[in-house]
Amino acid sequence: MNQYKKVAFYTLGCKLNFSETSGIAQNFEKGGYAKVDFEERPDVFVINTCSVTDNADKKCRNIVRKAKSINPNAYVAVIGCYAQLKPQEISEINGVNLVLGANEKFNILEHVEKLEQESKDSAVVLGGEIDDVTEFFPSYSIGDRTRTFLKVQDGCDYSCSFCTIPLARGKSRSNTIKETLKTASEVASTQAKEVVLTGVNLGDFGRYNNESFHELVLELDKLEGIERFRISSIEPNLLSNPTIDFIATSKKFVPHFHIPLQSGSPELLRSMKRRYKREIYTSRVEKIKTLMPHCCIGVDVIVGFPGETEEKFIETYDYLNELDVSYFHVFTYSERANTLAPKLEKSVDRKTRDERSKKLRILSAKKKRAFYQENIGKSFPVLFEAENNNDFMFGFTSNYVKVKTKYNEDLVNQVKQVNLKEIDRDGLFLIDFE
Ligand code: SF4
């Protein structure tokens, strides 16, 4: 037993990282550690990093400095995508004691226990080759009373020309449906009412077990103890028509899809090495909206990709303006090491990237407002969250509309049918209860 008792966590990045941090925290607690907040002078800091943009790297360095300012004698362990991609760079950050790549991050407790035998002068680095990462570690987030991120898939076999994730997380992998149902049953025994299915390339679930994401959806829908399932994000070419048909009638899978598009220009989709044509995307949206007109559809889109001329940007803008979708997540392209895109075409200057990002964010706000207005007067089940904000509380409908009402403890983590009355000046729905 290590005399280090207190551990604190800091997570950057995606839902997958949050579910993994939570899984790792559970192991520390089983190992006799008390999980404390970052500011509570822990003996061990664990920083779970992201590496989607340059900014993510900078953030990691700042958090290491913050940790050392809170407790200079503590051990600092850095894991996650940045740790897999640039272990040496991290090991040179003053104050870092341990750097673990994708293969070792789930054995962190063991490595932390060994740290006292190591000198503090230099960091212990266990990066490892990403091709050696083959094991799937299930995990789910705990701590949010209403919603749990359930990791069901990891890694990616695609090679989109702007993306480093396959280099950070390795090949696509998942557990079998039977094992995944076991993990989901554990979640069903917690309080959470909503489970958000998460992964790197979620729709690729089961490919190496001769199973499919569609089959997983059918099995999860039968599981007792979980009221709602939400699919975090799924590639358009991996969102099958049978899955859309099924979700249109499911009582548990909510009418909300988040589908990465990345560009509305066929030429840019090709140089991004995306695995679908624009027509596929259009047909998915049309099918969803035909079966579920109230369904919420979110879109990922990148601006400023190399070769994005003004014409190609307008192609994306017009395409999204026409499409019956509800909001966008707009990403400004940033060059990443060891990716193809920077070598492909003429890069777009920073100022233009930022201008285009602004234009798409304005369009996204317009789309979201229109989607909200379409829902005025309609009735949906809302899952109410625990936060009390100036005597108000919030919740999301099944189709991802945010509502607001007077704080009432009895509503926390409850699913209630409500009428969407009007949109207030903050863009939130005021409601009546049915
Ligand atoms: S599908 Fe493309 S963008 Fe998504 S993780 Fe895989 S390589 Fe990256």
Side-chain angles (χ1 to χ4, degrees):
M1 175 57 67
N2 200 307
Q3 85 275 12
Y4 301 123
K5 274 284 168 222
K6 298 192 289 179
V7 61
F9 299 86
Y10 196 103
T11 305
L12 294 159
C14 63
K15 296 180 178 77
L16 200 54
N17 259 12
F18 281 90
S19 81
E20 291 178 342
T21 298
S22 203
I24 289 167
Q26 290 160 45
N27 292 345
F28 269 91
E29 286 172 315
K30 286 182 198 131
Y33 285 71
K35 185 177 161 214
V36 297
D37 287 340
F38 215 69
E39 287 67 28
E40 291 179 71
R41 278 186 72 75
D43 305 291
V44 178
F45 289 98
V46 177
I47 301 167
N48 193 356
T49 61
C50 164
S51 194
V52 165
T53 64
D54 272 352
N55 211 16
D57 302 8
K58 262 189 233 104
K59 278 190 191 153
C60 171
R61 283 192 281 276
N62 295 343
I63 294 154
V64 172
R65 271 192 285 277
K66 183 175 171 208
K68 278 300 186 182
S69 68
I70 292 167
N71 181 1
N73 303 321
Y75 281 95
V76 175
V78 180
I79 62 173
C81 295
Y82 182 26
Q84 175 61 43
L85 290 173
K86 300 180 184 160
Q88 226 43 53
E89 185 174 300
I90 295 174
S91 71
E92 281 141 26
I93 299 174
N94 186 20
V96 170
N97 304 98
L98 180 64
V99 184
L100 298 178
N103 234 352
E104 287 302 327
K105 65 181 174 188
F106 296 104
N107 307 324
I108 182 172
L109 183 56
E110 195 191 307
H111 294 298
V112 164
E113 304 269 284
K114 285 192 210 132
L115 274 179
E116 63 192 37
Q117 278 109 39
E118 306 286 342
S119 86
K120 271 199 167 177
D121 304 342
S122 61
V124 175
V125 180
L126 297 161
E129 292 309 313
I130 198 62
D131 290 344
D132 301 340
V133 178
T134 53
E135 205 175 341
F136 177 80
F137 290 88
S139 62
Y140 53 89
S141 62
I142 290 188
D144 175 325
R145 288 172 69 181
T146 49
R147 181 171 298 108
T148 283
F149 299 142
L150 173 61
K151 169 188 170 182
V152 297
Q153 188 273 346
D154 199 350
C156 184
D157 294 349
Y158 290 11
S159 46
C160 301
S161 59
F162 53 82
C163 183
T164 54
I165 299 173
L167 302 171
R169 284 191 165 270
K171 287 272 168 253
S172 179
R173 54 200 188 279
S174 59
N175 264 345
T176 61
I177 290 179
K178 193 157 165 267
E179 289 156 335
T180 306
L181 288 175
K182 236 187 315 176
T183 312
S185 308
E186 279 177 38
V187 176
S189 63
T190 67
Q191 287 179 343
K193 293 270 173 45
E194 178 171 303
V195 168
V196 181
L197 300 181
T198 187
V200 171
N201 194 348
L202 194 55
D204 209 33
F205 172 93
R207 195 143 72 84
Y208 292 104
N209 303 317
N210 249 339
E211 297 175 322
S212 72
F213 180 70
H214 181 62
E215 290 161 345
L216 175 67
V217 167
L218 298 183
E219 292 307 315
L220 285 171
D221 196 72
K222 299 176 198 153
L223 199 69
E224 293 301 319
I226 296 174
E227 286 201 32
R228 312 204 304 190
F229 286 100
R230 197 177 295 277
I231 296 172
S232 60
S233 175
I234 186 164
E235 295 293 310
N237 51 305
L238 295 176
L239 175 56
S240 70
N241 285 338
T243 300
I244 298 172
D245 291 333
F246 180 77
I247 290 176
T249 58
S250 167
K251 295 253 174 315
K252 291 196 175 175
F253 275 80
V254 295
H256 173 205
F257 294 94
H258 192 89
I259 313 173
L261 169 72
Q262 307 307 14
S263 177
S265 149
E267 238 179 282
L268 287 183
L269 284 177
R270 274 195 298 281
S271 56
M272 286 176 169
K273 298 205 173 315
R274 299 293 285 162
R275 301 215 177 173
Y276 51 85
K277 290 199 166 26
R278 200 172 66 179
E279 293 68 27
I280 291 271
Y281 201 92
T282 312
S283 69
R284 291 288 184 275
V285 171
E286 285 170 355
K287 181 173 174 70
I288 291 168
K289 282 296 192 174
T290 306
L291 292 175
M292 301 167 266
H294 58 288
C295 186
C296 179
I297 301 179
V299 181
D300 285 344
V301 59
I302 295 174
V303 289
F305 186 79
E308 186 187 63
T309 57
E310 188 59 18
E311 293 70 37
K312 291 192 181 102
F313 172 67
I314 292 167
E315 232 178 336
T316 295
Y317 188 98
D318 293 348
Y319 177 68
L320 286 169
N321 195 27
E322 292 304 307
L323 212 57
D324 189 1
V325 290
S326 322
Y327 66 88
F328 323 149
H329 288 169
V330 182
F331 299 90
T332 302
Y333 173 74
S334 77
E335 284 75 3
R336 306 302 297 146
N338 305 317
T339 59
L340 200 58
K343 307 181 193 82
L344 286 176
E345 289 239 25
K346 187 170 162 310
S347 75
V348 178
D349 67 80
R350 177 55 56 182
K351 186 165 165 295
T352 306
R353 294 183 205 185
D354 295 341
E355 282 163 7
R356 289 175 183 169
S357 172
K358 194 160 170 234
K359 286 182 185 150
L360 279 189
R361 286 170 200 280
I362 292 168
L363 180 61
S364 175
K366 201 178 104 197
K367 287 272 181 187
K368 186 177 174 189
R369 216 168 22 251
F371 176 66
Y372 270 43
Q373 266 149 6
E374 281 167 20
N375 284 285
I376 292 176
K378 297 203 174 126
S379 163
F380 290 99
V382 165
L383 172 55
F384 288 95
E385 298 174 353
E387 184 201 356
N388 180 345
N389 185 324
N390 296 327
D391 214 23
F392 281 97
M393 67 190 303
F394 308 98
F396 281 90
T397 63
S398 49
N399 67 339
Y400 209 51
V401 166
K402 192 167 185 178
V403 310
K404 172 174 143 177
T405 191
K406 272 258 163 251
Y407 185 80
N408 172 353
E409 174 69 29
D410 300 338
L411 284 175
V412 171
N413 200 24
Q414 298 303 310
V415 176
K416 296 287 180 198
Q417 196 71 17
V418 308
N419 276 316
L420 300 178
K421 221 171 43 182
E422 60 185 282
I423 304 167
D424 75 359
R425 62 169 189 277
D426 304 324
L428 302 176
F429 253 108
L430 304 179
I431 57 175
D432 285 331
F433 288 90
E434 290 220 338

